[in-house]
Amino acid sequence: MLVRLIYASRAKTPATHELIESILSSARQRNPQQGITGVLCYSDTIFVQVLEGGRDQVNRLYASLLRDERHYDVILLAYESIDERQYSSWTMGKIRLDKINRSLLLKYSECGELNPYQVSCCSTVALLNELASTAAFAQRD
């Protein structure tokens, strides 16, 4: 059974280029073995990640992410059974939240920035869906 899990968290320290590349490198190395695909959206202080794959594999990965000390205040935004993957081309794509077109962000938030702690889960998920449908994610594998 395939599932999609979306969560948000706050970075303990500002997310540097090196930190993001380290996270992505690790994900791109491990995820194919587990059949996990997805995307990491980030700013200096916020992470939003989508994980897709088998239920057991996604649940195990999420459990380990909950213990990761690089972030805190983890909130589950969505968890659902799916018939097909939306991010099947990415072992782990990435997008910098502050690089998203401001008008697109205004469509889903009050102030033109994505903060999953201040908008509804539905708004965050809808934004991610729109970004995926327009192929706005970088680092496609």
Side-chain angles (χ1 to χ4, degrees):
M1 168 187 289
L2 286 175
V3 298
R4 180 177 303 119
L5 182 149
I6 304 172
Y7 76 91
S9 63
R10 298 180 193 276
K12 276 203 175 166
T13 60
T16 63
H17 175 76
E18 292 76 19
L19 173 64
I20 298 302
E21 290 306 313
S22 172
I23 291 169
L24 292 171
S25 176
S26 177
R28 291 175 180 150
Q29 194 170 29
R30 294 180 184 156
N31 287 356
Q33 301 162 359
Q34 302 300 314
I36 293 176
T37 57
V39 65
L40 174 66
C41 301
Y42 64 96
S43 69
D44 290 340
T45 58
I46 300 283
F47 296 110
V48 177
Q49 189 166 30
V50 180
L51 304 172
E52 295 176 326
R55 181 175 51 201
D56 292 343
Q57 292 83 356
V58 168
N59 289 348
R60 275 195 298 273
L61 177 54
Y62 183 62
S64 75
L65 291 169
L66 289 172
R67 295 186 301 270
D68 191 321
E69 294 187 8
R70 294 175 289 194
H71 64 165
Y72 68 100
D73 203 9
V74 179
I75 56 170
L76 183 64
L77 300 174
Y79 185 91
E80 61 186 339
S81 295
I82 57 174
D83 293 325
E84 62 184 33
R85 296 171 193 250
Q86 190 166 19
Y87 304 95
S88 60
S89 297
W90 293 280
T91 55
M92 190 52 60
K94 75 173 181 178
I95 191 162
R96 213 177 139 83
L97 294 172
D98 60 358
K99 300 292 185 189
I100 298 173
N101 183 309
R102 184 168 164 77
S103 64
L104 179 60
L105 289 170
L106 280 169
K107 184 175 176 179
Y108 297 103
S109 69
E110 293 177 13
C111 60
E113 72 178 46
L114 177 65
N115 183 336
Y117 297 92
Q118 295 178 345
V119 300
S120 73
C121 295
C122 295
S123 293
T124 301
V125 171
L127 174 63
L128 292 172
N129 289 340
E130 188 162 342
L131 289 169
S133 70
T134 61
F137 295 114
Q139 296 294 335
R140 186 172 178 183
D141 304 309

